[in-house]
Amino acid sequence: MEREGGFCRAFLDFCDLNDGMQLYKLLDTTKSRKPTAKDKEASIQDEVTAAIVVAWCAGETSEGLEFALKAVRKWSTRYLERNAKVRWMLTPMLWLTARTRQLAMKLDAKSDSRRFRERVVEVSREVFTQLHRDKDRREGALVISCELLRLYFSLGQVSQCAFVLTTVGAASQNNAFDPVKLPKSLLVTLYFLWGRHLVMAGKIEEAEEKLSQALSICPPKAGRNRRMILLYLVPCRLRLGRYPSRGLLERNRLQSLSGIVAATSSGNVRQFNEELERQEQELVCCGTYWVVEKLRVVAYRNLVRNVFDLARTDGAVKSKQDLEPFEQAFLWQDDCTPKETSCLLAQLIYLGAVRGYLSDTHRKVVFSKEMPFPPVSAWSMKA
């Protein structure tokens, strides 16, 4: 990996060759070994390498973090000032920015504080603004945006993500960057974090689109990343009436969701409630609890459909059905009283999950003769 002359000489050589990938790999070696005297040679000739080497020598300390941030600033300045092709510089920038975040998180964990992460946010916002101002350098702003989003999630400041994503979204609409030419690792991270924020904002359809983009780009061998994407994508797709296969869940070690998937699709409300209670803590930590909780309405809708199908006579569909079988099913599945059953049926009708009306006088449920159960995607966002 390194050439004769140590880290600094190799760093400068790869810069001369515009070889961002080799530079990334070189930077990554600093995580697993200590710097030698030869590694420090020639660092004085270059501000970026000087800052990296000092941060490397300082290790996991506040001084190390400050010099790591200095390296990010210097590299970003070079990225802004360089007139030639600069896309190769994005890959090392990914490493440098991720390193500062990781270091800040370790320092905060040791001191049980937030100040180091907040320091990285402060510098990152400054660099993000500088890069975004230059329309030819907005690809670099995407790198910083990913780290800002990660930090905001870590700090519990999800509301701050809107500022970053609004800026990125505007740049995307104005064709300020070409996704096809960007590093896949950057795009996967951006789309995943974007989708995760949209999940928390309740914009399920938009979240499903971003998370699907992230999954389509994510390499099959990146099992951990694919699993993380699917933790958010599967609940979104369930809300839209799309049920994952058992094989997909097993391949990505998401068997914990299989019970919720089966209960929702089969209309087994009792099983759904049990699974939701059992997985409450994990779903809350993940940030998808409220998305999954709203699937109860889909389970109710599918329960009503099951009762409806059982009332068929010789294959013919009865549009007018007695209320009593529905009351019995809701009592069995969710301990509902007759009044509670009527309220739930009325709510499903109001949402558009069921097309029809209730006849209290005749104790009937009158279903529409045409599509009494519209697709889940047509009404679920109202729930």
Side-chain angles (χ1 to χ4, degrees):
M1 176 57 59
E2 290 187 45
R3 301 182 176 188
E4 186 177 351
F7 174 86
C8 293
R9 186 69 266 159
F11 187 98
L12 296 174
D13 286 347
F14 289 137
C15 285
D16 290 340
L17 293 170
N18 294 349
D19 195 334
M21 184 55 67
Q22 289 302 320
L23 200 50
Y24 182 99
K25 293 177 180 178
L26 175 68
L27 287 165
D28 215 37
T29 63
T30 63
K31 291 182 178 179
S32 57
R33 67 183 184 85
K34 298 289 184 181
T36 66
K38 183 177 282 190
D39 289 324
K40 301 172 189 177
E41 291 176 5
S43 65
I44 196 171
Q45 301 174 17
D46 182 78
E47 290 182 318
V48 177
T49 52
I52 292 171
V53 168
V54 174
W56 188 11
C57 293
E60 295 177 0
T61 63
S62 58
E63 182 188 13
L65 178 62
E66 284 302 322
F67 276 96
L69 288 169
K70 183 178 180 180
V72 171
R73 281 200 186 104
K74 293 296 182 182
W75 188 257
S76 299
T77 300
R78 186 171 298 176
Y79 175 75
L80 280 167
E81 294 175 348
R82 191 180 174 99
N83 293 323
K85 295 179 180 180
V86 293
R87 188 167 283 130
W88 68 272
M89 298 180 73
L90 295 178
T91 309
M93 191 184 292
L94 282 168
W95 191 94
L96 291 169
T97 54
R99 182 57 180 162
T100 58
R101 171 181 52 81
Q102 293 161 0
L103 184 52
M105 292 184 73
K106 287 181 179 180
L107 291 171
D108 275 344
K110 288 179 182 178
S111 58
D112 192 24
S113 69
R114 305 156 53 97
R115 67 189 182 94
F116 293 105
R117 282 172 292 167
E118 289 173 347
R119 173 64 177 149
V120 177
V121 167
E122 177 188 344
V123 173
S124 297
R125 282 185 68 115
E126 173 191 320
V127 174
F128 175 80
T129 302
Q130 291 172 347
L131 294 177
H132 186 74
R133 281 202 196 107
D134 189 330
K135 64 179 181 180
D136 295 324
R137 296 295 182 266
R138 287 180 179 168
E139 291 181 352
L142 293 182
V143 175
I144 309 299
S145 72
C146 289
E147 295 308 317
L148 274 172
L149 293 172
R150 288 179 189 271
L151 287 162
Y152 286 141
F153 284 130
S154 171
L155 291 166
Q157 298 176 347
V158 179
S159 60
Q160 296 295 322
C161 295
F163 155 75
V164 177
L165 291 173
T166 299
T167 306
V168 171
S172 176
Q173 291 176 356
N174 294 329
N175 299 317
F177 54 86
D178 184 356
V180 176
K181 297 179 180 178
L182 292 174
K184 286 187 177 181
S185 58
L186 172 58
L187 279 180
V188 170
T189 302
L190 176 63
Y191 287 144
F192 166 69
L193 294 172
W194 201 337
R196 182 179 172 186
H197 173 70
L198 289 168
V199 167
M200 294 180 175
K203 300 177 181 179
I204 302 303
E205 292 174 306
E206 294 176 50
E208 194 277 335
E209 179 184 354
K210 294 299 179 188
L211 292 167
S212 293
Q213 287 177 311
L215 187 66
S216 66
I217 300 169
C218 190
K221 63 180 181 181
R224 182 175 176 276
N225 292 339
R226 292 179 69 85
R227 182 179 186 277
M228 185 61 68
I229 294 168
L230 286 164
L231 275 173
Y232 292 88
L233 182 56
V234 168
C236 289
R237 287 183 171 174
L238 287 173
R239 284 285 303 278
L240 298 172
R242 296 170 60 184
Y243 302 101
S245 66
R246 183 183 294 274
L248 176 72
L249 297 178
E250 290 178 351
R251 283 195 306 274
N252 294 280
R253 297 179 291 109
L254 291 170
Q255 293 92 331
S256 59
L257 291 176
S258 60
I260 287 174
V261 172
T264 304
S265 62
S266 65
N268 191 332
V269 179
R270 187 173 296 280
Q271 181 189 357
F272 177 87
N273 290 335
E274 291 171 354
E275 288 288 335
L276 185 65
E277 183 178 357
R278 185 172 64 83
Q279 298 183 48
E280 180 176 356
Q281 175 117 23
E282 181 181 347
L283 294 171
V284 169
C285 290
C286 186
T288 57
Y289 177 83
W290 78 270
V291 181
V292 175
E293 194 272 337
K294 286 181 176 289
L295 292 172
R296 185 183 286 109
V297 179
V298 182
Y300 273 128
R301 176 259 195 189
N302 290 337
L303 173 61
V304 173
R305 184 167 192 167
N306 290 340
V307 178
F308 173 85
D309 288 340
L310 288 171
R312 294 171 182 264
T313 306
D314 297 328
V317 177
K318 292 177 60 177
S319 59
K320 294 182 181 180
Q321 297 190 5
D322 292 333
L323 190 57
E324 185 179 357
F326 295 94
E327 292 174 343
Q328 291 175 349
F330 276 59
L331 174 63
W332 170 51
Q333 284 289 302
D334 204 20
D335 301 321
C336 292
T337 65
K339 285 187 177 181
E340 288 172 336
T341 299
S342 295
C343 288
L344 286 168
L345 286 170
Q347 182 188 12
L348 291 171
I349 292 169
Y350 173 77
L351 291 173
V354 176
R355 295 178 63 192
Y357 63 90
L358 296 177
S359 176
D360 292 332
T361 305
H362 300 94
R363 285 186 51 76
K364 297 280 188 183
V365 185
V366 183
F367 292 92
S368 171
K369 292 182 179 179
E370 295 183 6
M371 198 182 294
F373 299 95
V376 175
S377 58
W379 56 268
S380 62
M381 291 305 101
K382 301 176 186 176

